Amino acid sequence: MRLWPLRAHFYLHDVAVLRAPHPGNASSPGTLTPDIRSLEFVSAQAADILQLHQQMAHRMSQPRMDQRFGNGLRYFAFFQGEQLLGSTWAAIGGGRYVDEVNWYLPIQPTEFWVRDVFILPSQRGRGLYASLLKLMAQHHVPGCTAAWSDVDWVNQASMRAHAKAGFSVHARLRALDLDGRLRLRGPAPAWPAPVTEINPGQRWLLMRGSLLQRHRQLLA
């Protein structure tokens, strides 16, 4: 009996976890003007959210959106006057499930984790990412102490954009994946709070049965 296909596919996941301290402080990067504002959209406004994604030329399906709301993510869009600037999904408190390594990384109630930040192509080059982080911290996360994000380690353009917005590398997460079934992870990162998912002390994961089901539940 052959356990794996003859043409098995290996993938190396290499993720940078980034942290920006006190993004709402006056000394943090980013400039706010009175006409820049944020709006939060809830699950009942699904049609509006899908339309915003279309304006930014980004695909978002209804099931994926429902999954994100179900896992505690919130959706924010940013405007200057009536001009759409961009949007982000964010976990405020709670944490982030990094599916490439199957770890749920908890954060404090005074922290937030941005997921899929999009800036309209016509608005790029203005340093808006830092400004939107500052707006999030000041208006949606009382007493904000940190913002978190994660990107592919090899995505140097995104790494530079994060550095300009005040982020630095907090952890590097790596895993070797065989056909989405078998995963060898590096050691779990040193983290301020206990990492609870999935089997954090286990280096090898065979993604089947209850493990695969739990993975699919946590995806956002």
Side-chain angles (χ1 to χ4, degrees), residues 1-131:
M1 181 177 69
R2 193 169 71 238
L3 294 177
W4 304 105
L6 289 175
R7 293 185 178 180
H9 294 91
F10 289 91
Y11 304 92
L12 177 62
H13 301 293
D14 196 352
V15 179
V17 174
L18 308 165
R19 183 179 184 271
H22 302 286
N25 284 6
S27 59
S28 65
T31 302
L32 296 180
T33 57
D35 59 341
I36 294 181
R37 60 193 174 92
S38 62
L39 287 177
E40 181 173 4
F41 291 77
V42 297
S43 58
Q45 298 170 289
D48 296 325
I49 295 171
L50 292 174
Q51 186 178 49
L52 287 167
H53 275 278
Q54 288 175 359
Q55 288 183 53
M56 292 178 290
H58 179 249
R59 280 188 174 184
M60 172 61 64
S61 67
Q62 180 80 45
R64 189 179 184 195
M65 181 172 56
D66 293 342
Q67 180 99 348
R68 287 190 169 184
F69 278 120
N71 281 321
L73 268 68
R74 295 162 65 179
Y75 184 76
F76 301 87
F78 305 93
F79 301 84
Q80 187 165 29
E82 297 304 314
Q83 170 65 53
L84 176 65
L85 300 176
S87 74
T88 188
W89 289 86
I92 299 177
R96 164 87 161 102
Y97 178 63
V98 184
D99 58 276
E100 292 90 347
V101 290
N102 306 99
W103 283 320
Y104 183 87
L105 304 178
I107 58 175
Q108 298 299 314
T110 55
E111 301 175 339
F112 68 100
W113 198 306
V114 289
R115 176 88 168 92
D116 288 350
V117 178
F118 287 98
I119 305 294
L120 260 68
S122 62
Q123 302 298 322
R124 293 173 187 168
R126 298 174 52 193
L128 283 174
Y129 185 20
S131 300

Side-chain angles (χ1 to χ4, degrees), residues 82-212:
E82 297 304 314
Q83 170 65 53
L84 176 65
L85 300 176
S87 74
T88 188
W89 289 86
I92 299 177
R96 164 87 161 102
Y97 178 63
V98 184
D99 58 276
E100 292 90 347
V101 290
N102 306 99
W103 283 320
Y104 183 87
L105 304 178
I107 58 175
Q108 298 299 314
T110 55
E111 301 175 339
F112 68 100
W113 198 306
V114 289
R115 176 88 168 92
D116 288 350
V117 178
F118 287 98
I119 305 294
L120 260 68
S122 62
Q123 302 298 322
R124 293 173 187 168
R126 298 174 52 193
L128 283 174
Y129 185 20
S131 300
L132 303 187
L133 285 174
K134 181 171 284 190
L135 193 64
M136 278 286 298
Q138 292 183 358
H139 290 261
H140 301 288
V141 191
C144 183
T145 55
W148 295 85
S149 183
D150 60 280
V151 300
D152 287 338
W153 189 270
V154 297
N155 189 341
Q156 292 304 303
S158 184
M159 293 281 273
R160 287 193 296 270
H162 278 79
K164 288 180 181 178
F167 286 93
S168 59
V169 175
H170 182 84
R172 186 175 185 178
L173 313 179
R174 285 180 278 194
L176 184 64
D177 190 289
L178 174 61
D179 282 335
R181 302 181 189 182
L182 185 65
R183 183 161 291 172
L184 172 61
R185 305 183 289 189
W191 204 254
V195 178
T196 58
E197 304 273 4
I198 294 176
N199 296 354
Q202 189 172 321
R203 299 287 297 275
W204 287 95
L205 284 183
L206 181 57
M207 300 303 293
R208 65 180 184 181
S210 61
L211 284 187
L212 183 58

